[in-house]
Amino acid sequence: MKKLALHWKILIGMIVGILFGLGMIAVNGGATFVANWINPFGTIFVNLLKLIAIPLILASLVKGISDLKDISKFKNIGLRTISIYIATTVIAITIGLLLVNVMKPGDGISEETINKLTETYSNSGAVQSKIAEASRQKGAGPLQFLVDIIPDNALKAMGDNANMLQVIFFTIFLGISMLLIGEKRAKPLKDFFDSLNEVILKMVDIIMLSAPFAVFALLANVVVSSDDPDLLFALLKYAGTVLLGLFFMICFYMILISVFAKKNPFWFLKQFSPAQLLAFSTSSSAATLPVTMERVEEHIGVDKEVSSFVLPVGATINMDGTSLYQAVATVFIAQALSFELTFSDQLMIILTALLASIGSAAVPGAGMVMLVIVLESVGFPADKLAIGLALIFAVDRPLDMCRTVVNVTGDATVATLVAKSVGKLGVPKPKNWDDNLREVSK
Ligand code: ASP
């Protein structure tokens, strides 16, 4: 397996995992076997990636900012990043709305299917917990999101991966203050973080050695815990609409890469594919972040000054795939349950899906929580929310896997565009996990 490129190894792991999962469904007790003996290896892998996410953000962002030597550059990068993120998200939502209005996946869905889906899912704990979580988030005041970004305890913020934006805030504050005390006095701290950064990237390389086996475990588990194939089939048109939209988004990114970054899109996809495959297998942009950073910096050539800010911020606030899905799902549910949506409702969807994608956590299934808020913004009756979610629940996991791929590809694309625009897109210098192995194993 040594010579095979990483993305091929991961792909093989995924395919074998799917086949193994299908085989286990056929065997009596197979699903329990996978849950008890296979899935834990996938969970360990995801934990390993999450384990290094916060230290990586800290080390790389401090390095990125302190390398700038000039705060105005940071402002420049920051403004470009946020504007491009907003623009791509609005485009994603618009593509979603156009497709769902043209394809009308909700119109043809039979009364019988709606009843079956409602029966199966509307009272399930999973659907109810999404609604409860959404109402908890919605209860907050308009400026709460700003308050939430500023932690009252830096160490506590670092103790929870869900607080990524807080850690980013603290780290930017730290980095800027380091610039302000002058290069000489900041040097010891800078050297410390530079070294920490290298060490963590090495940890990514080492963790990635197990990626082909881990994706096997993750996908086998997805297959054995997936829903009744009949239900999946009934939602084929809806799922197809989301998938088509996600495909258009990838094409759109590739056009941007070719026109603005002047790079071959196929080369870009090849370099970035291990991160996409992991996003697909884990359904989590946050867990994929360390690999996204490693690929974008070492394999695409984006300078750390750009990637260290653009990527962690993107993982938390830029979710083009999720917002596209929210737009399609909202209109699909409205079509299926004959709930009239006016043109201004559709404009409202653009706004709330944009805000919702910023507010969605980068973890599996988060997009569905925010979907509740989008549905409520267009006046969808509260007593029908559970039915609405029940309609799309069966296909949510596979769609989550696909939208997470778009989410991370969007982040990588924007990092590349911003880097190009500020002259920070260089020649990639990939490092291997065992570069210094010989010296330390003498
Ligand atoms: N799983 C997605 C992510 O981590 C979020 C979502 O759409 O549910 O990017």
Side-chain angles (χ1 to χ4, degrees), residues 120-121 222-223 225-232 393-395:
T120 321
Y121 299 109
V222 167
V223 172
S225 45
S226 70
D227 289 278
D228 180 355
D230 282 351
L231 291 182
L232 296 182
F393 199 78
V395 281

Side-chain angles (χ1 to χ4, degrees), residues 279 282-287 315 318-319 321-323 325-326 360-369 396 399-401 403-405 407-408:
T282 61
S283 284
S284 168
S285 320
N318 180 55
M319 296 196 181
T322 301
S323 48
Y325 141 86
Q326 284 164 342
S360 297
V363 296
M368 211 179 192
V369 173
D396 198 60
L399 291 185
D400 192 0
M401 297 161 80
R403 62 191 192 239
T404 310
V405 173
N407 290 346
V408 299

Side-chain angles (χ1 to χ4, degrees), residues 95 99 240-254 324 402 406:
I95 291 180
L99 282 178
T241 311
V242 176
L243 291 179
L244 189 63
L246 296 177
F247 174 72
F248 283 159
M249 270 322 277
I250 298 277
C251 296
F252 171 62
Y253 295 142
M254 292 310 107
L324 183 145
C402 299
V406 172

Side-chain angles (χ1 to χ4, degrees), residues 12-13 23 66 70 72 118 142 164 193 200 208 257 290 308 370 382 384:
I12 293 172
S66 52
D70 171 1
S72 64
T118 310
M164 243 179 220
F193 280 115
I200 306 243
M208 285 303 279
I257 288 293
S308 66
M370 288 302 181
K384 284 206 176 151

Side-chain angles (χ1 to χ4, degrees), residues 182-260:
E183 219 178 317
K184 209 170 125 227
R185 283 202 286 165
K187 191 167 182 304
L189 201 53
K190 182 166 163 23
D191 287 346
F192 167 79
F193 280 115
D194 283 1
S195 166
L196 180 63
N197 183 55
E198 292 238 0
V199 173
I200 306 243
L201 282 175
K202 188 56 71 189
M203 290 167 97
V204 178
D205 288 340
I206 298 171
I207 295 171
M208 285 303 279
L209 291 176
S210 64
F213 306 99
V215 295
F216 162 83
L218 288 166
L219 286 191
N221 191 54
V222 167
V223 172
V224 296
S225 45
S226 70
D227 289 278
D228 180 355
D230 282 351
L231 291 182
L232 296 182
F233 202 69
L235 295 170
L236 220 54
K237 200 166 169 200
Y238 156 70
T241 311
V242 176
L243 291 179
L244 189 63
L246 296 177
F247 174 72
F248 283 159
M249 270 322 277
I250 298 277
C251 296
F252 171 62
Y253 295 142
M254 292 310 107
I255 294 173
L256 294 179
I257 288 293
S258 149
V259 175
F260 295 106

